[in-house]
Amino acid sequence: MIANVGTRRRADAAFTLLELMVALAIFLIATALVWGSLAQTLKARAILETIELRYQGVRLALGRISRELSMAYLSKNDTPGAVEPRTYLIAERHASSAEISFSYMGHQRLYRDADESDTAVVTYFVESDREDRGKQNLYRRETRRIAPRDERDLGAAYVACEDVVKFELEFWDATKEEWQDEWDTKNADGQPDHLPSKVRIRLVVRDEKGRDTPFVTETQIFLQEPLWFQGGRS
């Protein structure tokens, strides 16, 4: 009778160890599954955050271009004897992207009492990245005043939007009632002395999967006709 009790205890002990091993195996499998799911969730979240930051950068760039173009202006109150007009809008179409320079009423002084004007000339252009020549960026440059005195007033170019494939512009000519892909207020054969009523901006960027993704917006230019204050300057 005593021998049977000892045998049963040994059997119960062996069965308990087997249960422990099975439970441990189940725990490890469950842990691996949970960790794998968590890793995938974290990876998806990181990708979504990258996409959101990328698209937010594109939207900010388009918003800034739109806002600045809406404040573009021309003026006939130029410096007497000036060969070139101080105010203009010139947009040219190159192989894959446009380049635009225009005068606008939106320059902000970074320092109090700075020797700068409230008006300036802004230029947007596409150029290869300074470090990675395999990609292109949209750059922005702004002068310190409407008529730069020297190279220091031209302003430094900085990246407005990264990894840009195309930067395209279209200008609505209210006189001809059609879209133009170039505009030149300096040229007699262009559109002298008047600005387009609205501008369509198209920015094509490369997404996280290497696909070309277009973004399009339009903006209105409020002052199409040049300012002219007789006896004064603008």
Side-chain angles (χ1 to χ4, degrees):
M1 183 67 178
I2 297 175
N4 290 337
V5 172
T7 302
R8 186 165 58 251
R9 287 179 177 174
R10 286 195 300 272
D12 291 344
F15 183 73
T16 302
L17 180 60
L18 180 60
E19 285 183 330
L20 180 61
M21 293 179 63
V22 171
L24 181 61
I26 293 174
F27 173 75
L28 292 176
I29 293 173
T31 302
L33 292 174
V34 171
W35 176 253
S37 177
L38 179 61
Q40 289 294 327
T41 301
L42 293 176
K43 182 178 179 181
R45 180 179 178 180
I47 292 175
L48 288 175
E49 288 178 349
T50 301
I51 295 173
E52 180 60 28
L53 287 174
R54 174 66 171 147
Y55 289 175
Q56 182 181 7
V58 176
R59 289 192 292 267
L60 287 174
L62 284 175
R64 181 162 197 175
I65 298 171
S66 299
R67 184 174 65 256
E68 292 175 345
L69 275 169
S70 70
M71 294 185 286
Y73 82 104
L74 300 176
S75 175
K76 288 188 175 182
N77 296 273
D78 224 327
T79 304
V83 178
E84 291 286 334
R86 295 183 304 163
T87 58
Y88 53 86
L89 188 153
I90 299 177
E92 299 176 333
R93 186 180 181 88
H94 300 298
S96 61
S97 295
E99 178 175 340
I100 184 170
S101 295
F102 58 95
S103 48
Y104 87 123
M105 301 180 183
H107 181 69
Q108 295 181 349
R109 296 179 176 90
L110 296 180
Y111 306 99
R112 179 183 294 182
D113 299 327
D115 185 19
E116 300 180 17
S117 172
D118 293 328
T119 57
V121 173
V122 175
T123 301
Y124 284 94
F125 61 96
V126 174
E127 196 173 87
S128 298
D129 186 87
R130 303 292 192 260
E131 298 179 357
D132 184 1
R133 309 301 291 183
K135 72 174 185 178
Q136 297 185 123
N137 300 324
L138 177 66
Y139 289 88
R140 178 186 183 275
R141 177 186 288 116
E142 181 177 359
T143 63
R144 296 174 57 189
R145 52 180 59 85
I146 196 67
R149 299 171 184 170
D150 51 45
E151 293 184 357
R152 293 175 298 178
D153 289 341
L154 294 177
Y158 68 89
V159 177
C161 187
E162 294 183 342
D163 212 354
V164 171
V165 180
K166 289 183 180 180
F167 172 54
E168 298 177 330
L169 298 168
E170 289 183 291
F171 307 91
W172 180 252
D173 191 332
T175 304
K176 298 180 179 180
E177 295 188 345
E178 63 182 15
W179 289 99
Q180 305 282 346
D181 57 6
E182 294 187 332
W183 201 274
D184 190 347
T185 61
K186 286 186 176 182
N187 195 335
D189 295 331
Q191 297 81 13
D193 293 338
H194 75 278
L195 295 173
S197 58
K198 55 185 177 180
V199 182
R200 181 180 295 160
I201 309 163
R202 185 171 184 265
L203 197 57
V204 181
V205 300
R206 187 162 285 118
D207 66 11
E208 72 287 348
K209 295 183 179 180
R211 299 173 301 191
D212 294 350
T213 306
F215 294 82
V216 182
T217 188
E218 286 187 13
T219 188
Q220 179 182 359
I221 296 181
F222 297 102
L223 298 175
Q224 286 110 50
E225 300 301 323
L227 300 175
W228 189 12
F229 303 104
Q230 294 184 355
R233 297 180 183 177
S234 63

